[in-house]
Amino acid sequence: MHPMLNIAVRAARNAGKILLRAGEDLSKVEVQQKGANDLVTNIDKEAEAVIRDTILQSYPTHSIVGEELGEHKGKDADYQWIVDPIDGTTNFIKGIPHYAISIALKVKGRLDQAVIYDPIRGELFTASKGQGAQLNSKRLRVSKTTVLAGTVLATGFPFKNKHHMDTYTEAFKALFVHTADIRRAGCSALDMAYVAAGRVDGFFEIGLKPWHSAAGELMVKEAGGMVVDFAGGNNYNHSGNIICGAPKLTQAIIREIRPVLSESLLR
């Protein structure tokens, strides 16, 4: 295992212990409203602090961007860690056992290492650039499906971008009529990890932040998949609008939804 991936795994496992311990008594979890339909807990902050400390103990000059604690500007800007301490916070708060810790590392602006850790199931998804993606050390490959017929897709509702709801609904309908089913589980990091593992065939969502998708992006690509924005380009890090899956299936998703999308979602 790459030494920096090893540290990311250690950080994720350390945070996972905090989540599991807190999950035993959710009445003690302090919940705050961060924004419209956007919740944060004391556990998010505690887990991110542990991740940050674990990384900086080994790499004190590196930079870190986290969902809750913001940016730590290290002396070496070539190395930037991107952290989501609980992707699926609402699930966590409600006691729904489906959430994950997401950690990615960019080296000179390019994704290099990724970890998505599901502490409930003990599933550790990892990826290193050029070395493939693994689940608990077993190699992952995306689904071989090339057409929408019979597929199971994952999605996320635009709960922070409800002004896109009508357009999203049209896109959902355009896909749903062709698929076997579409799942919405509330954790985009695991959605993308499941695409990498071939558990779901594809995934699409509006308005993700880099800490939600960075680790999943590398995971999908290293498992042989494609990650694009709604126009089929590479602007997803800015727009947050993501489609991923096996290359031919991803193109099929684009073809179906593009005619119903608003101009703002095609940028």
Side-chain angles (χ1 to χ4, degrees), residues 4-115:
M4 291 183 188
L5 181 62
N6 197 38
I7 294 303
V9 168
R10 184 184 304 169
R13 290 195 184 279
N14 287 345
K17 292 174 186 175
I18 292 171
L19 270 57
L20 290 173
R21 191 162 58 245
E24 292 174 0
D25 187 359
L26 290 171
S27 67
K28 294 180 180 178
V29 174
E30 300 165 14
V31 182
Q32 294 178 318
Q33 192 89 16
K34 192 166 55 170
N37 304 308
D38 196 1
L39 302 175
V40 64
T41 73
N42 58 315
I43 305 303
D44 290 77
K45 295 174 181 178
E46 186 180 341
E48 187 168 320
V50 164
I51 292 168
R52 182 174 289 198
D53 288 347
T54 304
I55 292 169
L56 293 178
Q57 280 175 13
S58 294
Y59 301 107
T61 63
H62 286 194
S63 298
I64 302 173
V65 176
E67 179 174 15
E68 310 306 342
L69 301 182
E71 185 174 5
H72 167 82
K73 291 186 178 180
K75 292 179 181 178
D76 193 344
D78 284 348
Y79 292 86
Q80 183 190 60
W81 298 81
I82 304 166
V83 175
D84 190 345
I86 311 178
D87 190 44
T89 297
T90 300
N91 282 352
F92 173 73
I93 291 166
K94 294 290 187 181
I96 299 169
H98 190 78
Y99 46 84
I101 296 140
S102 177
I103 304 173
L105 171 65
K106 281 187 173 182
V107 179
K108 297 183 178 179
R110 295 185 174 222
L111 286 168
D112 195 74
Q113 306 295 328
V115 170

Side-chain angles (χ1 to χ4, degrees), residues 65-236:
V65 176
E67 179 174 15
E68 310 306 342
L69 301 182
E71 185 174 5
H72 167 82
K73 291 186 178 180
K75 292 179 181 178
D76 193 344
D78 284 348
Y79 292 86
Q80 183 190 60
W81 298 81
I82 304 166
V83 175
D84 190 345
I86 311 178
D87 190 44
T89 297
T90 300
N91 282 352
F92 173 73
I93 291 166
K94 294 290 187 181
I96 299 169
H98 190 78
Y99 46 84
I101 296 140
S102 177
I103 304 173
L105 171 65
K106 281 187 173 182
V107 179
K108 297 183 178 179
R110 295 185 174 222
L111 286 168
D112 195 74
Q113 306 295 328
V115 170
I116 297 172
Y117 178 50
D118 176 349
I120 295 291
R121 297 174 184 83
E123 291 191 330
L124 181 72
F125 298 86
T126 58
S128 294
K129 185 172 178 57
Q131 300 298 315
Q134 293 83 30
L135 166 56
N136 294 344
S137 301
K138 293 182 180 179
R139 185 70 182 264
L140 298 181
R141 297 299 294 175
V142 296
S143 161
K144 295 179 181 178
T145 305
T146 59
V147 295
L148 279 165
T151 58
V152 174
L153 303 182
T155 189
F157 302 141
F159 65 99
K160 295 181 188 176
N161 300 276
K162 289 188 176 178
H163 56 288
H164 288 310
M165 193 63 207
D166 288 344
T167 305
Y168 171 82
T169 302
E170 291 303 312
F172 184 98
K173 288 193 293 187
L175 294 170
F176 186 67
V177 294
H178 297 291
T179 65
D181 209 347
I182 297 180
R183 302 274 187 265
R184 193 281 192 262
C187 178
S188 55
L190 285 178
D191 287 336
M192 295 182 79
Y194 284 13
V195 169
R199 291 176 175 177
V200 293
D201 299 294
F203 166 71
F204 65 104
E205 188 163 349
I206 292 171
L208 292 176
K209 298 295 185 183
W211 44 80
H212 299 140
S213 60
E217 177 189 343
L218 185 63
M219 208 85 58
V220 170
K221 289 179 176 178
E222 287 296 325
M226 174 185 280
V227 182
V228 295
D229 60 26
F230 284 8
N234 297 314
N235 195 44
Y236 47 83

